């Protein structure tokens, strides 16, 4: 037995969960299983050792899933399942693959081959990591594992500059179709290509720049330059285009928001949703009668908002209670303790108040992020007691209002606003699909 | 009062610090597991995490500044260890500098550069924003922190840590410098970007400054963060809690127990409070904490003049 195998057997599982459209039920199952097994969820592909693709296969997610997979370092393994019922087997198998030295070596060798096959500008050019291959994820340039190569290494890839170097830096959970968006952006904001003092080029996704005349300037790794645009104080600052979602911790399933960032302030935002097929029945409505589904859904929303707010303990408790509610158990004593603590937290109030203010009459989304959180807790309390919860706001209306709410906020604020609205996109796809 | 150890003191120090880190990480993991209903084996989870990071592949990102990116994580570890050079354990200290308090502060400021470089070097949007957040945090916490440190030096009329401990023979500084003590603890949380001040590596940023780290690099970064937390907690003992003084037990044990108590409460705080948004903390730091610490320093100065 060698040391590597010994260490590998002790490797903790850090799953990154990618829920596909229509996969809310599968996602909840995955989160519950991870929690019970003591697997802490990964925050980024770099941290992850397991990729869990929860929900039915969906074309619109494939590119994002592949990108994230490519960014994950070895050892890694992947679990895919469509139905919540299959979660236990899928995760157990993936765990076994993760801990198997033989499997990892084989995969690494395959990835290494692919890397050699279509090797082009490895930014760091280090030879010792030939097997790095697909794990060389950071390198947007590096080739994907061989079996996916035909999909993600288009021919123009080899022409310098033509590839939107989007996969890499943002560990952008992004997809190939972003290219069009970037072209669009680039046209809108030609920027100042001659100003190079701030080489934040790598954060950029402006594939469109590749087509511009770069004036013979060589950027490290052939990355196109960042745009410049006036910021809120009238200064000319670098401007990065970043895609948020669809695979991001505590992010609404299937949501994609493209933002233009200056520093960490959002200058522009465009919202879209992922999903190529209609959802027959949204998960939260499909639950049988007798299960307090609104309470469970509210707890799920609370879990994500509290995660984004950085309150791990309260978030974990919410997730555990959500799973108990879904399993048909009673939680009232614990719920009240938790609700009191969350409602009373001065720091939370201080962090959430004034964010994402909405003034719709008679809407459950009215008010700021703090109001919405309080309303969720009230709703859950009502349903767990004897009252009636308030129905959700129409997700389509939220999506429409979202860009306006996000523009001008700082990144942390924007994440909190999105989490505090938590649109149920499965519902949107039934209504409008 | 405080005596400098021979050269091997410097070799023992990392061992002591790493043991404290292991204890703190295990406790943090156990607390987390209790909230989420995970398995009871959580105590060993941090050790498994180390094993996992040792075999994990080191990632590279496109056009990363490798030297600064990886150097940053290393600098964080260095800062965490070197800060403790001047912290006495009971009567023993590795280096009894005449400007011990300034040394500690200088080492902890190295963390500013380290976290920023790690965030910036990866050439990633999230890492960069994490770096921005840490610099903003530094601007908020550093001034109140320095005034808190200066207050203890003022009370002891010396920058030598041994003199600060000796000055607490009669009364611990925490008794008549409570504001400085609380502000100091807040800034320990901040310098280790821990708990309420963890925005630089927060979940909303997919890990922020640490988002792109894997393998040994992540191990170093995490270790550096814990070392800073431990070093900060340990330094609170000679500054405010009378160093190794206490009845019955030997002084080194008192130092250790007090350190563990401070460390345990710092770890525990994370369970009870959400992250503070930097723009909000900036206001509190500049409008409330700086005047408060100045006032505290003034009170201490008057007492020193009068006695």
């Amino acid at each position: 037995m060698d040391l590597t195998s010994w260490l590998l057997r002790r490797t903790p599982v850090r799953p990154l969960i990618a829920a596909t459209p229509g996969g809310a039920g599968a996602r909840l199952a995955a989160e519950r299983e991870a929690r019970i097994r003591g697997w802490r969820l990964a925050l980024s592909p770099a941290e992850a050792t397991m990729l869990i693709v929860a929900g039915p296969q969906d074309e619109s997610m494939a590119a994002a899933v592949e990108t994230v997979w490519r960014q994950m370092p070895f050892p890694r393994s992947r679990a895919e399942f469509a139905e919540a019922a299959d979660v236990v087997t899928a995760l157990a198998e993936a765990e076994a693959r993760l801990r198997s030295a033989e499997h990892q070596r084989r995969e690494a060798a395959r990835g290494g081959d692919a890397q050699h096959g279509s090797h082009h500008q490895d930014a760091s050019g280090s030879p010792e990591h030939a097997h790095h291959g697909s794990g060389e994820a950071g390198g947007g340039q590096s080739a994907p594992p061989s079996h996916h190569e035909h999909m993600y290494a288009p021919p123009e890839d080899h022409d310098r500059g033509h590839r939107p170097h989007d996969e890499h830096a943002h560990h952008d959970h992004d997809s190939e179709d972003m290219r069009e968006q970037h072209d669009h952006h680039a046209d809108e904001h030609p920027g100042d290509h001659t100003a190079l003092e701030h080489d934040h080029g790598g954060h950029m996704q402006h594939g469109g720049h590749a087509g511009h005349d770069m004036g013979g300037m060589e950027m490290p790794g052939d990355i196109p330059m960042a745009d410049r645009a006036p910021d809120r104080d009238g200064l000319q600052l670098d401007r990065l285009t970043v895609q948020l979602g669809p695979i991001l911790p505590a992010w609404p399933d299937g949501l994609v928001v493209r933002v233009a960032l200056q520093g960490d302030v959002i200058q522009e935002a465009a919202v879209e949703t992922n999903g190529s097929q209609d959802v027959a029945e949204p998960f939260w409505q499909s639950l049988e009668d007798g299960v307090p589904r609104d309470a469970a859904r509210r707890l799920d929303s609370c879990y994500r908002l509290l995660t984004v707010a950085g309150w791990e303990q309260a978030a974990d408790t919410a997730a555990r209670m959500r799973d108990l509610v879904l399993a048909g158990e009673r939680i009232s004593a614990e719920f009240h303790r938790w609700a009191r603590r969350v409602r009373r937290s001065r720091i939370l109030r201080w962090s959430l108040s004034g964010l994402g203010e909405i003034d719709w009459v008679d809407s459950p989304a009215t008010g700021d992020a703090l109001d919405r959180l309080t309303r969720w807790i009230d709703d859950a309390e009502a349903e767990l007691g004897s009252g009636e919860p308030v129905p959700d706001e129409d997700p389509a209306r939220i999506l429409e209002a979202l860009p306006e709410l996000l523009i001008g906020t700082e990144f942390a604020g924007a994440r909190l606003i999105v989490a505090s609205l938590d649109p149920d996109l499965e519902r949107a796809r039934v209504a409008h699909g | 009062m405080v005596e400098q150890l021979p050269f091997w003191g410097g070799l023992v120090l990392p061992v002591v610090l790493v043991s404290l880190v292991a204890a703190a990480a295990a406790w943090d993991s156990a607390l987390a597991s209790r909230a989420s209903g995970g398995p009871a084996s959580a105590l060993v989870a941090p050790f498994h995490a180390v094993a996992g990071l040792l075999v994990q592949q080191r990632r590279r990102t496109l056009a990363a500044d490798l030297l600064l990116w990886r150097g940053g994580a290393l600098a964080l570890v260095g800062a965490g260890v070197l800060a403790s050079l001047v912290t006495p354990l009971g009567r023993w200290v590795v280096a009894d500098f005449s400007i011990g308090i300034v040394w500690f502060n200088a080492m902890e400021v190295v963390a500013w550069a380290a976290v920023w470089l790690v965030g910036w070097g990866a050439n990633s949007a999230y890492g960069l924003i994490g770096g921005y957040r840490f610099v903003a945090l530094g601007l908020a916490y550093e001034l109140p922190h320095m005034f808190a440190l200066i207050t203890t030096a003022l009370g002891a009329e010396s920058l030598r840590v041994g003199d600060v401990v000796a000055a607490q023979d009669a009364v611990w500084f925490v008794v008549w410098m409570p504001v400085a003590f609380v502000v100091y603890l807040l800034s320990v949380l901040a310098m280790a970007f821990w708990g309420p001040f963890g925005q630089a590596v927060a979940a909303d940023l997919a890990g922020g400054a640490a988002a792109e780290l894997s393998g040994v690099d992540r191990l170093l970064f995490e270790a550096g963060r814990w070392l800073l937390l431990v070093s900060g907690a340990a330094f609170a003992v000679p500054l405010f809690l009378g160093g190794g003084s206490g009845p019955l037990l030997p002084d080194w044990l008192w130092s250790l127990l007090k350190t563990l108590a401070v460390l345990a409460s710092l770890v525990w705080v994370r369970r009870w409070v959400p992250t503070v948004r930097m723009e909000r903390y900036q206001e509190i730091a500049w409008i409330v904490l700086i005047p408060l610490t100045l006032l505290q320093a003034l009170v201490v100065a008057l007492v020193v003049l009068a006695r």
Side-chain angles (χ1 to χ4, degrees), chain B residues 185-186 188-189 194 229 232-233 261-270:
Chain B
L185 289 187
L186 280 179
V188 171
L189 289 172
W194 178 259
L229 191 70
V262 175
L263 190 57
S265 29
L266 292 180
V267 170
W268 177 80
V269 160
R270 185 167 89 131

Side-chain angles (χ1 to χ4, degrees), chain B residues 8-97:
Chain B
W8 50 262
L11 304 176
V12 174
L13 177 69
V15 178
V16 174
L17 289 176
V18 167
S19 313
L20 285 169
V21 165
W27 198 51
D28 178 55
S29 168
L31 286 176
S33 175
R34 218 182 51 178
S36 64
S41 61
L43 272 179
V44 293
F47 303 100
H48 286 183
V50 171
L53 290 176
L54 283 176
V55 282
Q56 194 177 43
Q57 182 184 26
R58 293 171 88 182
R59 284 171 85 247
R60 267 204 230 90
T61 51
L62 185 68
D65 195 325
L66 279 186
L67 179 68
L68 298 185
W69 187 26
R70 295 183 168 161
L74 207 59
L76 204 58
V77 174
V81 173
L82 291 179
S84 276
L85 281 189
V86 293
T87 309
L89 179 72
R91 176 175 329 111
W92 310 309
V93 67
V94 176
D96 187 21
F97 297 146

Side-chain angles (χ1 to χ4, degrees), chain B:
Chain B
M1 183 79 196
V2 168
E3 59 187 82
Q4 191 163 320
L5 289 170
F7 75 95
W8 50 262
L11 304 176
V12 174
L13 177 69
V15 178
V16 174
L17 289 176
V18 167
S19 313
L20 285 169
V21 165
W27 198 51
D28 178 55
S29 168
L31 286 176
S33 175
R34 218 182 51 178
S36 64
S41 61
L43 272 179
V44 293
F47 303 100
H48 286 183
V50 171
L53 290 176
L54 283 176
V55 282
Q56 194 177 43
Q57 182 184 26
R58 293 171 88 182
R59 284 171 85 247
R60 267 204 230 90
T61 51
L62 185 68
D65 195 325
L66 279 186
L67 179 68
L68 298 185
W69 187 26
R70 295 183 168 161
L74 207 59
L76 204 58
V77 174
V81 173
L82 291 179
S84 276
L85 281 189
V86 293
T87 309
L89 179 72
R91 176 175 329 111
W92 310 309
V93 67
V94 176
D96 187 21
F97 297 146
S98 60
I99 41 109
I101 290 178
V102 178
W103 171 267
F104 176 83
N105 197 17
M107 286 308 108
E108 155 252 303
V109 170
V110 169
W112 282 44
V115 177
W116 166 254
L117 290 180
V118 170
W120 182 82
N123 197 10
S124 140
Y126 292 153
L128 189 67
I129 296 177
Y132 288 146
R133 285 184 180 177
F134 190 75
V135 174
L137 174 66
L139 289 174
Y141 90 82
E142 191 61 42
L143 276 179
H145 175 61
M146 276 159 58
F147 286 128
L149 290 178
I150 288 301
T151 307
T152 61
L154 200 57
E157 297 176 58
S158 165
L159 285 166
R160 188 188 292 273
V161 182
D163 295 342
V164 176
V165 176
Q168 300 177 64
D169 258 354
V171 192
W172 290 1
F173 278 178
V174 64
V175 177
W176 57 299
M177 304 175 188
V179 176
F181 180 61
V182 171
V183 168
Y184 176 81
L185 289 187
L186 280 179
S187 47
V188 171
L189 289 172
M191 75 175 83
F193 40 109
W194 178 259
F197 303 116
Q199 253 215 327
V201 292
D204 67 327
L205 264 187
E212 305 287 350
L213 294 171
S214 73
V216 175
D217 302 309
R218 180 175 286 271
L219 181 62
L220 284 177
F221 186 82
E222 289 290 328
R225 188 184 184 200
W226 278 105
L227 283 167
L228 280 171
L229 191 70
V230 165
S231 284
F235 201 55
V237 176
L239 281 193
F240 295 100
L241 302 175
S245 66
L248 298 175
L249 300 173
D251 51 9
W252 64 267
L253 192 55
W254 271 116
S255 279
L256 203 59
L257 288 176
K258 289 174 188 175
T259 301
L260 282 172
V262 175
L263 190 57
S265 29
L266 292 180
V267 170
W268 177 80
V269 160
R270 185 167 89 131
R271 306 274 131 217
W272 291 91
V273 289
T275 305
V276 181
R277 270 164 56 210
M278 274 319 105
E279 57 191 282
R280 296 281 158 108
Y281 186 60
Q282 205 78 256
E283 294 168 16
I284 293 291
W286 283 78
I287 296 172
V288 181
L289 295 185
I290 291 181
L292 271 182
T293 46
L294 281 174
L295 212 59
Q296 170 82 83
L298 179 68
V299 169
V300 170
L302 292 177
V303 170
V304 170
L305 279 179
R307 76 181 171 199

